[in-house]
Amino acid sequence: GVSMDEPVHKRVRRAKENINPNPEKEIITLDDDDDIEMKRVLESYANARRKKKKEWKEEKVNESDLDNRLTDDKYWYRSNQGETFFLNRIEGMPQEANQNCISFGNLLEPRDRLERALCSAFCIDVRWFIGQFPKHIPITAIRHWDKKNDKEGHFVINDRFTVVHPPLLPFGSMHAKLCLLLFDTFIRVVITSANLTREDWNQLGQVTWYQDFPKAEYQSMPNSFSTSLKDFLKRVKLNPKFLDAYDFSNANAEIISSIPGSFDGEESLNYGHLKMRQCLERFKMPSHPIKDDIYYQMSSIGALQTRDWYRNEFLASMMSSSSKSDRSADAHILYPTLQRAEGSNGAGVLFLEKKNYEHKDFPRDHFSDVVPINPHRIAITMHSKILCRSVWDSQHQYPTGWCYIGSHNLSPSAWGKITQKG
């Protein structure tokens, strides 16, 4: 890695001499006026890594371990308590562009302790998906299905692969991206923006959160996290009883799910933006912020102008907190321009209808282009969904806030809408 604590010429020399002089500073960050030196640094850095990779090959290091060594993949495993989230590794990228990123295969480690898997997605490439797992692992896949050609139910394909088609309403879809990976002594809960396909995990920009939960020594009390997880499984017609074997008391996140259908009263608070509102009302925000922003990056945008849903419902929920303040946050919709989208790989996953964008009540003034900091990722289409609030005040050195990642796009159909009934 190259530290920013010394002049550029020294950083260049250190990059040439040592592949990793400071493991705590793995990411290269250079000032705008360092463009020429940046190229030299990156070239030297890449050459050093190629040399190190060749040395490891000569040592007969397992081929599958080479990339892991080069990208410091151990970082993701050290962060298994849900206190951060990760971008995905893009195939063909320089190693420095994939640092501290994960692949789907990473999530299955340690493979010799993996016993069972349950995953859901809108799209599944069955051949690729099954090929990621050891051959003896039983797998259950929950997926969206076509009512014209398929039907609801559980379908046992063979002795290790079962497909579940959950209940669907005429206007609903199975869009959740969740994986429950059962190991010998713990369960790994994974929430991601990626479908279960090679293209999604290797070629598009995605985001993933996960946390490991140990087996319970005794039956633990249910909390919001475990209750939401069990409710989701019930909604897709799966028995959540197996989750009772695990201790979710240290969950560092809340699960926000959206279920097709109409819900009344207290039940409506369990889903969509109303569930988000309920969670955020427990968070205390600074009462007198200097700067207050909500940022939302997604791949698809719906009819935000309908009954001014975006402002009256969505933003009202996202601005919720336990603090009483008349100030509203500045909202930013992070979305690529048409020019950038046309020059990106995989732009077919982006959806924004012209008739919606040109509607007089559409919030065009909230849009900003989103450009990855890493120059190697600029041409990669972002399929990720990241929503966060950042509040600065004079009392704290760092901003106060929260972050959501998952598979919710920006639309009433994804987050739900309040009807006249409630």
Side-chain angles (χ1 to χ4, degrees):
V2 181
S3 169
M4 285 298 298
D5 298 330
E6 55 190 346
V8 171
H9 71 278
K10 290 187 178 180
R11 299 202 295 270
V12 174
R13 186 172 68 248
R14 288 184 59 175
K16 291 180 179 179
E17 294 174 349
N18 196 329
I19 190 169
N20 189 12
N22 188 346
E24 299 301 317
K25 297 182 178 179
E26 272 287 310
I27 299 176
I28 298 177
T29 54
L30 297 173
D31 299 331
D32 293 338
D33 59 351
D34 286 337
D35 289 343
I36 297 176
E37 296 297 348
M38 176 187 280
K39 292 180 181 179
R40 292 173 56 194
V41 170
L42 293 177
E43 288 173 2
S44 300
Y45 195 62
N47 289 336
R49 286 176 172 254
R50 281 193 291 270
K51 179 180 178 182
K52 183 61 68 174
K53 188 170 183 177
K54 181 179 180 182
E55 292 175 1
W56 282 333
K57 280 186 175 181
E58 291 173 354
E59 295 173 13
K60 301 190 183 303
V61 174
N62 214 325
E63 184 71 26
S64 62
D65 291 337
L66 292 176
D67 286 341
N68 290 345
R69 285 199 184 189
L70 287 172
T71 53
D72 190 25
D73 271 355
K74 296 300 181 183
Y75 175 79
W76 73 267
Y77 193 69
R78 292 199 302 269
S79 302
N80 62 351
Q81 293 306 306
E83 68 278 292
T84 189
F85 57 87
F86 301 87
L87 301 182
N88 61 312
R89 296 176 62 184
I90 303 295
E91 63 182 17
M93 284 282 179
Q95 300 294 347
E96 61 269 13
N98 281 328
Q99 281 190 329
N100 296 337
C101 298
I102 62 173
S103 65
F104 184 77
N106 290 150
L107 294 168
L108 308 183
E109 299 290 348
R111 291 170 183 262
D112 58 344
R113 297 174 60 189
L114 182 62
E115 297 180 344
R116 180 182 165 196
L118 187 158
C119 297
S120 70
F122 183 78
C123 300
I124 300 178
D125 179 344
V126 174
R127 185 183 297 273
W128 176 87
F129 173 57
I130 295 179
Q132 301 302 302
F133 292 85
K135 293 183 178 180
H136 66 283
I137 300 299
I139 305 168
T140 298
I142 312 165
R143 68 167 191 172
H144 182 72
W145 52 281
D146 182 359
K147 288 191 173 183
K148 293 181 179 179
N149 302 313
D150 296 314
K151 60 181 180 179
E152 179 185 328
H154 293 212
F155 305 93
V156 179
I157 308 304
N158 55 41
D159 59 356
R160 65 173 295 228
F161 188 51
T162 300
V163 174
V164 176
H165 291 166
L168 292 179
L169 297 178
F171 52 84
S173 67
M174 171 56 228
H175 197 259
K177 282 83 172 174
L178 168 74
C179 279
L180 302 179
L181 304 173
L182 282 66
F183 293 82
D184 53 355
T185 60
F186 66 94
I187 184 173
R188 178 168 294 157
V189 179
V190 181
I191 295 174
T192 180
S193 61
N195 286 293
L196 297 171
T197 70
R198 176 180 175 273
E199 289 76 15
D200 264 47
W201 275 98
N202 296 346
Q203 297 174 9
L204 299 175
Q206 309 285 2
V207 63
T208 297
W209 173 93
Y210 79 98
Q211 185 172 347
D212 293 348
F213 300 93
K215 283 190 173 179
E217 296 181 4
Y218 49 87
Q219 189 167 358
S220 57
M221 294 293 293
N223 60 11
S224 176
F225 186 92
S226 61
T227 300
S228 297
L229 195 56
K230 288 181 178 181
D231 180 72
F232 174 80
L233 294 182
K234 290 177 183 177
R235 294 288 181 178
V236 298
K237 301 298 184 182
L238 288 173
N239 188 345
K241 183 67 176 177
F242 70 95
L243 294 176
D244 291 340
Y246 301 94
D247 181 2
F248 295 99
S249 61
N250 290 323
N252 282 319
E254 293 282 357
I255 292 179
I256 309 294
S257 60
S258 290
I259 303 295
S262 298
F263 306 96
D264 298 325
E266 291 292 323
E267 191 178 26
S268 66
L269 302 179
N270 295 331
Y271 308 109
H273 74 79
L274 291 183
K275 171 64 181 291
M276 190 79 166
R277 180 183 298 187
Q278 187 182 49
C279 291
L280 295 179
E281 285 176 348
R282 303 198 302 266
F283 285 84
K284 184 176 182 180
M285 291 292 184
S287 300
H288 303 287
I290 298 172
K291 183 173 174 55
D292 187 352
D293 296 278
I294 291 177
Y295 301 94
Y296 192 5
Q297 177 271 316
M298 75 301 293
S299 59
S300 296
I301 301 176
L304 308 185
Q305 71 277 4
T306 304
R307 293 190 297 125
D308 206 5
W309 172 88
Y310 171 68
R311 291 182 174 86
N312 291 340
E313 294 191 35
F314 179 76
L315 284 184
S317 290
M318 299 309 125
M319 292 183 187
S320 299
S321 73
S322 65
S323 306
K324 304 301 180 183
S325 174
D326 295 331
R327 177 184 169 86
S328 296
D330 295 322
H332 310 269
I333 298 173
L334 307 181
Y335 206 74
T337 62
L338 179 61
Q339 181 180 7
R340 281 217 319 110
E342 290 176 339
S344 299
N345 300 323
V349 301
L350 301 174
F351 295 93
L352 172 56
E353 291 191 53
K354 184 178 181 181
K355 67 177 183 180
N356 288 332
Y357 185 78
E358 293 181 345
H359 192 282
K360 63 181 181 65
D361 295 326
F362 195 83
R364 292 184 297 274
D365 57 324
H366 286 193
F367 275 62
S368 296
D369 193 6
V370 54
V371 182
I373 293 176
N374 192 303
H376 298 291
R377 288 183 174 251
I378 290 178
I380 301 300
T381 297
M382 298 172 69
H383 186 256
S384 49
K385 287 82 176 162
I386 303 173
L387 170 62
C388 63
R389 186 174 184 181
S390 174
V391 182
W392 293 85
D393 69 349
S394 59
Q395 305 300 316
H396 299 89
Q397 184 178 0
Y398 300 101
T400 302
W402 49 262
C403 186
Y404 158 94
I405 71 99
S407 59
H408 283 83
N409 282 302
L410 181 53
S411 70
S413 60
W415 286 98
K417 59 185 177 181
I418 301 173
T419 64
Q420 292 181 350
K421 292 182 180 181

